[in-house]
């Protein structure tokens, strides 16, 4: 035990995971959230009895209705912090598709062999379903409670945090976690106390995407399909995907960039599935019954706040999840990154940290997670004609090598497995620079 009371600002997946970690180290953990988390609490049994209607998108998550992916690395962390999570999720209705039902298309070409190994492990569900399972487990912890509303600032005593402002009161806190998401106001609060804001990097992506749900027939093959179309002469960059989720449904996503905007019209959605993506998309969209409306979402940029670059920062204060970095959501890194930030927080608190000093070692560990996700997503986004940087050093050479590795992965299982470990955040992108691996990828990719 390190604290009397720890406070988490935000009840997102990142905030819930931070609260779970802090429950091991604080007598009380308080989650301050604008949505009523207690009112949203649903037991596993209720979800299993009616997985389609027991949970819905949380008001504070505008993108909650869109397709979400929990990568294998994130699944490992959920099982670590909530033993038995996978089994309970499957019992409540989550889907564990067989690897041989996965379809991956690159520029219209199907990968020759399905993925295998740890990177092929999956637990497929909607975002509200997964968040509900995590929320129920966190709120069931005896030392975790919630407060409905929003925080309006932090309270400092010298160079350490001692509380937060919530409404008309000051809530004492021995440790504070910012889980307020992309729109976090922590930088402004720091500036008002004489600290520098963390430097922010932005990459304008102008992503537009739309999601629709379809009834999955009992006799339908439980397919998971991803399609990536790269930009080029006469080609439009598009990413689409569909997955089986709880309640015997498919969730289908189609996306575009810049002026290519999927709309909310169901007929247009079906036309995009048929005309812009492999045949499996059209089969779902034209033969299955649509459930509900088409939901659209726009994200202007990817962004990261580089806390690790600050030399002066209040003690007993950290940030997690999208408050640190948010990426192009089509790569599915957000929820998994949040679980890995929780792992970094656990490492920091269990490692004999000097709580009188800023949590610099925590932010260094989080930087490793952010760098991994940022490299994978932004390297792909920099190929888009409307994206104008920032470019990393050696971008042209890296881009050329990346292209060959992707081509090789479509033909070679060894290359595919290593690349899959990186894209599912089981391995750092540096795993792709091992000389023997690169030589194999270059030879196969050049032939392709």
């Amino acid at each position: 035990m390190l604290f009397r009371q720890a406070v988490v600002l935000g009840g997102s997946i990142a905030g819930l995971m931070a609260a779970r970690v802090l429950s091991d180290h604080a007598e009380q953990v308080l989650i301050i959230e604008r949505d009523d988390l207690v009112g949203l609490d649903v037991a596993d049994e209720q979800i299993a009895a009616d997985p389609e209607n027991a949970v819905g998108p949380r008001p504070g998550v505008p993108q909650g209705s869109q397709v979400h992916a929990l990568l294998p690395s994130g699944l490992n962390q959920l099982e670590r912090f909530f033993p038995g999570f996978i089994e309970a999720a499957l019992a409540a209705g989550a889907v564990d598709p067989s690897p041989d039902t996965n379809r991956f298309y690159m520029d219209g070409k199907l990968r020759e062999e399905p993925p295998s190994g740890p990177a092929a492990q999956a637990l497929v569900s909607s975002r509200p379903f997964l968040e509900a399972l995590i929320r129920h487990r966190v709120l069931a912890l005896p030392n975790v409670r919630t407060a409905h509303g929003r925080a309006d600032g932090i309270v400092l005593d010298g160079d350490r945090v001692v509380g937060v402002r919530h409404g008309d009161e000051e809530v004492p806190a021995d440790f504070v976690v910012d889980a307020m998401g992309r729109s976090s106001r922590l930088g402004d609060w720091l500036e008002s106390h004489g600290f520098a804001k963390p430097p922010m990097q932005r990459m304008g992506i102008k992503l537009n995407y739309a999601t629709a749900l379809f009834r999955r027939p009992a006799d339908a093959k439980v397919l998971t399909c991803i399609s990536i179309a790269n930009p080029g002469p006469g080609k439009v960059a598009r990413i689409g995907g569909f997955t089986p989720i709880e309640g015997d449904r498919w969730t289908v996503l189609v996306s575009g960039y810049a002026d290519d905007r999927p709309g909310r019209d169901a007929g247009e959605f079906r036309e995009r599935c048929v005309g812009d993506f492999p045949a499996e998309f059209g089969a779902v969209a034209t033969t299955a019954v649509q459930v509900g409306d088409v939901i659209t979402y726009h994200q202007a940029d990817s962004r990261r706040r580089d806390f690790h670059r600050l030399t002066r920062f209040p003690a007993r204060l950290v940030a997690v999840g999208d408050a640190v970095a948010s990426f192009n959501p089509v790569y599915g890194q957000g929820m998994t990154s949040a679980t890995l930030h929780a792992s970094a927080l656990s490492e920091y608190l269990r490692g004999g940290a000097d709580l009188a000093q800023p949590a610099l070692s925590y932010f260094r560990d989080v930087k490793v997670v952010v760098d991994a996700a940022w490299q994978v997503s932004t390297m792909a986004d920099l190929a888009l004609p409307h994206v104008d940087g920032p470019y990393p050093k050696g971008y042209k050479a890296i881009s050329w090598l990346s292209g060959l590795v992707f081509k090789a992965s479509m033909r070679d299982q060894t290359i595919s497995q290593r690349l899959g470990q990186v894209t599912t955040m089981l391995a750092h992108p540096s795993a792709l620079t091992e000389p023997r691996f690169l030589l194999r990828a270059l030879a196969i990719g050049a032939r392709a």
Side-chain angles (χ1 to χ4, degrees):
M1 285 293 168
L2 301 173
F3 317 116
R4 289 188 301 276
Q5 176 161 274
V7 176
V8 179
L9 308 179
S12 63
I13 288 179
L16 293 170
M17 293 300 299
R20 165 62 188 87
V21 171
L22 288 167
S23 71
D24 289 337
H25 304 282
E27 294 176 11
Q28 290 287 326
V29 179
L30 175 65
I31 305 173
I32 299 176
E33 167 55 43
R34 290 177 296 177
D35 293 331
D36 178 11
L37 296 183
V38 174
L40 292 170
D41 189 20
V42 181
D44 293 9
E45 295 77 14
Q46 294 172 270
I47 299 175
D50 189 7
E52 185 173 344
N53 300 305
V55 293
R58 185 164 58 84
V61 186
Q63 76 279 23
S65 298
Q66 305 296 331
V67 168
H68 279 72
L70 180 67
L71 303 179
S73 179
L75 186 58
N76 288 347
Q77 296 300 325
L78 289 182
E79 187 67 22
R80 168 192 174 186
F81 288 110
F82 306 104
F85 186 91
I86 295 174
E87 182 180 352
L90 293 172
V95 182
D96 181 16
S98 171
D100 63 6
T101 63
N102 290 339
R103 302 285 186 271
F104 180 83
Y105 288 89
M106 176 71 74
D107 294 326
K109 295 181 179 179
L110 178 66
R111 181 164 51 196
E112 294 180 1
E113 295 187 50
S116 61
Q121 185 181 20
L123 180 69
V124 183
S125 71
S126 67
R127 160 70 182 260
F129 175 96
L130 185 68
E131 187 170 330
L133 294 180
I134 299 171
R135 181 168 55 240
H136 181 65
R137 281 153 178 74
V138 172
L139 297 187
L141 296 170
N143 59 340
V144 173
R145 61 191 181 94
T146 68
H148 191 191
R150 76 175 208 168
D152 298 309
I154 52 176
V155 182
L156 299 186
D157 179 5
D159 280 358
R160 71 184 178 97
V161 171
V162 294
V164 300
R165 292 191 176 88
H166 175 229
D168 297 328
E169 63 176 319
E170 290 186 1
V171 178
D174 301 309
F175 196 84
V176 174
V177 176
D178 171 19
M180 295 184 291
R182 281 171 59 90
S183 58
S184 168
R185 292 164 290 146
L186 180 59
D188 294 332
W189 297 348
L190 290 171
E191 198 171 46
S192 70
H193 285 282
F195 291 84
K197 290 183 176 181
M200 182 184 287
Q201 297 184 51
R202 294 176 184 260
M203 178 176 288
I205 56 173
K206 299 179 182 178
L207 170 70
N208 316 296
Y209 59 106
T211 294
L213 296 173
F214 293 86
R215 186 73 59 205
R216 179 158 45 89
D219 60 348
K221 192 169 186 179
V222 185
L223 290 178
T224 298
C225 189
I226 296 173
S227 172
I228 298 176
N230 292 303
K235 298 193 300 180
V236 177
R238 291 192 178 99
I239 295 179
F242 67 83
T243 62
I245 62 169
E246 73 280 358
D248 298 320
R249 294 170 295 171
W250 269 305
T251 178
V252 183
L253 174 145
V254 299
S255 73
Y257 291 96
D259 295 330
D260 183 17
R261 291 178 171 267
R264 297 184 178 181
D265 180 75
E268 179 205 339
F269 189 91
R270 287 192 294 272
E271 289 175 3
R272 282 180 175 266
C273 287
V274 172
D276 298 339
F277 297 97
E280 291 92 335
F281 285 78
V284 170
T286 58
T287 62
V289 176
Q290 183 175 332
V291 182
D293 298 326
V294 178
I295 307 296
T296 59
Y297 185 71
H298 172 75
Q299 184 163 312
D301 60 20
S302 298
R303 60 181 67 169
R304 59 182 291 177
R305 295 177 174 94
D306 289 335
F307 287 92
H308 63 277
R309 294 174 58 188
L310 295 174
T311 57
R312 182 170 173 259
F313 193 76
R316 298 180 177 239
L317 174 66
V318 299
V320 296
D322 284 1
V324 179
S326 62
F327 317 96
N328 185 333
V330 298
Y331 304 115
Q333 300 162 320
M335 296 191 300
T336 296
S337 291
T339 69
L340 291 169
H341 293 179
S343 180
L345 180 59
S346 180
E347 174 75 8
Y348 170 70
L349 295 176
R350 292 179 181 276
D354 182 355
L355 295 171
Q357 299 298 320
L360 300 183
S361 65
Y362 164 79
F363 285 118
R364 284 195 294 268
D365 284 349
V366 165
K367 176 184 180 296
V368 175
V369 178
V370 172
D371 282 348
W374 189 262
Q375 287 177 40
V376 170
S377 64
T378 59
M379 281 304 299
D381 290 339
L382 283 169
L384 300 169
H386 65 280
V387 175
D388 57 2
Y391 293 92
K393 292 181 180 179
Y395 166 71
K396 289 185 177 180
I398 296 171
S399 177
W400 178 76
L401 283 171
S402 298
L404 285 181
V405 169
F406 267 101
K407 288 179 181 178
S409 73
M410 300 293 287
R411 294 171 171 240
D412 183 84
Q413 186 71 355
T414 300
I415 303 297
S416 177
Q417 286 182 352
R418 178 75 65 88
L419 181 63
Q421 288 181 321
V422 170
T423 58
T424 58
M425 300 189 75
L426 290 168
H428 192 274
S430 59
L432 302 179
T433 63
E434 193 269 326
R436 187 172 298 179
F437 170 85
L438 273 182
L439 287 173
R440 182 186 183 99
L442 288 171
I444 297 170
R447 289 198 300 270

